[in-house]
Structure formats: C-alpha cells, structure tokens
Amino acid sequence: MPQPIITLTTDFGLNDHFVGAMKGVMLQTAPDAQIVDISHAVQPFDILDGALTISQAYSYFPSGTVHMVIVDPGVGTARRPIILAGDRHYFVAPDNGVLSLVYAREQRLSVRHVTAEHYFLQPVSDTFHGRDIFSPVAASLSKGVDPNRFGEEITDYVRFAAPRPKPVDERTLRGVVLKVDRFGNLITNITPADIPKLFAESPAPFKIAIGKGQVSRMCSTYAEGGPGEAFGILGSMGFLEIAANRTSAFQLLGVGKGTDVNVVLDA
C-alpha cells in the first residue's frame, strides 16, 4: 500500500501545543503516515475561511488522502463529528459547514456521523476534540479502516452556500471580499463566469468600486501594476482579486473581508 497521507487544516496557529499533540496522536495509530500541514492560519472561528482553504487545496493530493479540517467554535456541544467520503479523498471534520465547498465540488459523496467511541482517545476532553476524536479517527482511516465502521450515514449534514455575486442593474455586478491573503490581496467571490467581459483579453471600459477606492485596470500578473496602484487580476483561486504590486491592497484601500465590490461596465 502507498504511504498514508493525512493533511491538517486548522485555525490553531503555531504558538501553542495543539498541532503537535494532534500529530503525536495520529502517529501512535499510523506511524507510517505522512502528515502535511495545509494551513494552521485559518482565521479563528471562521468557518467560511476554513471552507475556502480546504476547497482550494485538497484536490491536488493523491487519491486516498485523509483531510482533517478543524475549525470548530462549537467544540464540546451537540454538533457532530463526521467523515466525508468523496470521489477520491476522505475528510474528517465537525459538522458545522466547514466542508460545504467540498460538498459542492464532489460528484459522489457519503457522510457519516462518527459514533464509534472505541476509536477515540480516552478520556475525551470537552475542549480538544481535534486531539481526542478527529486525530485518532483520521489516523485509522488512513490505515484503511472502512468509513462504515465509524457510524451511520447521514443526509442532514450542515452545509451553506458561499455568497454569490448579484446584478445590481444591467451594467453593475455586486460581489464581496471573501478573504484577505498574506500579501494583502483582496479575494472576491467574482469569477470569469459571472462577468466574462471583465476578464476578456481587451476588456471593455470598467470601474471596480471597493470601499472608497476605485480600480480601472486589469492586469495578468502582479508585476504589471504600477507603484501605489490597485488593480484587478484573476488569481489562482479562480476569483477576481484586487491587488497591488509589492504592497498590500488591504492597506492601500483600507478595506477588508466583507466589503462590497461593485463592478461597473461602461459599455
């Protein structure tokens, strides 16, 4: 069998012992596992940010990879631990919608409520299910334990629809900033399918109003932007980004997550 792979996506950061403890638990059960950190910098308690992060990364891993996603503000409450078996990958996460964008991408999926407590680390803490429930379950999955041994299949799992751009009038499309990346780029929810003319090789005249700022140029690379200029670009996530060359559009424009983005076509 190929070497098991387990990925970690959390909002735990790296200042505390949380990530190390989870890896230790997984290696007790699956000592041959390769553990890959996707990100531990998801915004704290931000389920949408967690959903965006895992949805952008998981498909690049080999078939059979187990993805553990822990953004869990409801830890210790009645929210359920779940396993998602998708087309090629497995996911272990709380049932709070953090897998919503994975659900939207997978053609076939099966979701199970994890109730088989003999897989858990005992005693189970009320505040650290990442260590005591999700880590041993993910490790067991990576060793080939069938998902149906962990609990019954469910269909009422929590999912949400990511915010979609909406037309304001015949010339205006309103989107929103979904996140700000490490470089200060403003990631919107607008895609080429939403407004193809904006992403054409020679786009029609347009303006992008964001906060009190305005953008009137699309670039194909970050380096095309001029000093102190905010511009639009199609980023690797497949969304319109508002960016700046070697500086932060977040700081330049003074706006952030949740800010409206209005694209107005002049023709």
Side-chain angles (χ1 to χ4, degrees):
M1 291 182 63
Q3 182 181 20
I5 300 174
I6 305 171
T7 77
L8 300 181
T9 300
T10 79
D11 59 353
F12 289 166
L14 296 175
N15 291 334
D16 300 295
H17 67 281
F18 305 129
V19 174
M22 293 191 304
K23 290 181 178 180
V25 170
M26 288 187 283
L27 291 172
Q28 289 274 12
T29 298
D32 296 329
Q34 179 181 1
I35 302 174
V36 179
D37 299 295
I38 290 179
S39 177
H40 297 295
V42 172
Q43 292 298 306
F45 319 117
D46 193 332
I47 293 169
L48 175 58
D49 194 36
L52 284 166
T53 302
I54 188 59
S55 72
Q56 288 291 323
Y58 80 89
S59 63
Y60 296 102
F61 284 84
S63 295
T65 296
V66 177
H67 302 280
M68 192 168 84
V69 187
I70 311 298
V71 183
D72 195 15
V75 62
T77 69
R79 70 92 187 92
R80 299 171 291 191
I82 56 172
I83 291 172
L84 162 63
D87 295 324
R88 297 173 47 238
H89 301 94
Y90 299 101
F91 302 82
V92 180
D95 183 26
N96 60 10
V98 75
L99 297 180
S100 291
L101 302 186
V102 176
Y103 297 144
R105 288 169 177 248
E106 294 294 289
Q107 297 296 315
R108 295 168 299 188
L109 56 87
S110 170
V111 179
R112 293 182 179 274
H113 177 196
V114 177
T115 55
E117 296 186 6
H118 58 278
Y119 288 103
F120 302 171
L121 191 68
Q122 299 294 343
V124 174
S125 164
D126 286 336
T127 62
F128 199 179
H129 287 184
R131 178 193 65 195
D132 299 339
I133 296 178
F134 298 113
S135 290
V137 167
S140 297
L141 268 177
S142 78
K143 291 184 67 177
V145 176
D146 195 290
N148 64 20
R149 298 183 64 178
F150 293 93
E152 296 296 320
E153 189 167 8
I154 60 174
T155 57
D156 62 340
Y157 47 87
V158 177
R159 63 193 303 176
F160 59 78
R164 297 286 304 152
K166 297 179 180 179
V168 177
D169 54 43
E170 292 182 355
R171 297 189 301 119
T172 306
L173 182 73
R174 177 169 296 161
V176 68
V177 176
L178 293 176
K179 70 175 294 176
V180 181
D181 72 12
R182 183 177 182 275
F183 300 98
N185 300 316
L186 306 170
I187 316 298
T188 80
N189 63 339
I190 297 171
T191 72
D194 298 316
I195 186 164
K197 290 182 179 180
L198 180 66
F199 298 91
E201 186 173 346
S202 299
F206 69 90
K207 63 181 179 182
I208 301 172
I210 177 168
K212 295 182 180 179
Q214 185 170 298
V215 172
S216 58
R217 189 158 80 101
M218 290 289 290
C219 294
S220 58
T221 69
Y222 297 109
E224 286 182 28
E229 177 194 15
F231 53 86
I233 190 170
L234 179 60
S236 63
M237 292 176 67
F239 297 116
L240 169 69
E241 298 179 12
I242 309 301
N245 184 5
R246 301 192 187 187
T247 190
S248 165
F250 167 70
Q251 294 180 339
L252 191 64
L253 296 173
V255 299
K257 179 180 175 180
T259 301
D260 284 345
V261 181
N262 290 296
V263 181
V264 182
L265 297 177
D266 291 340

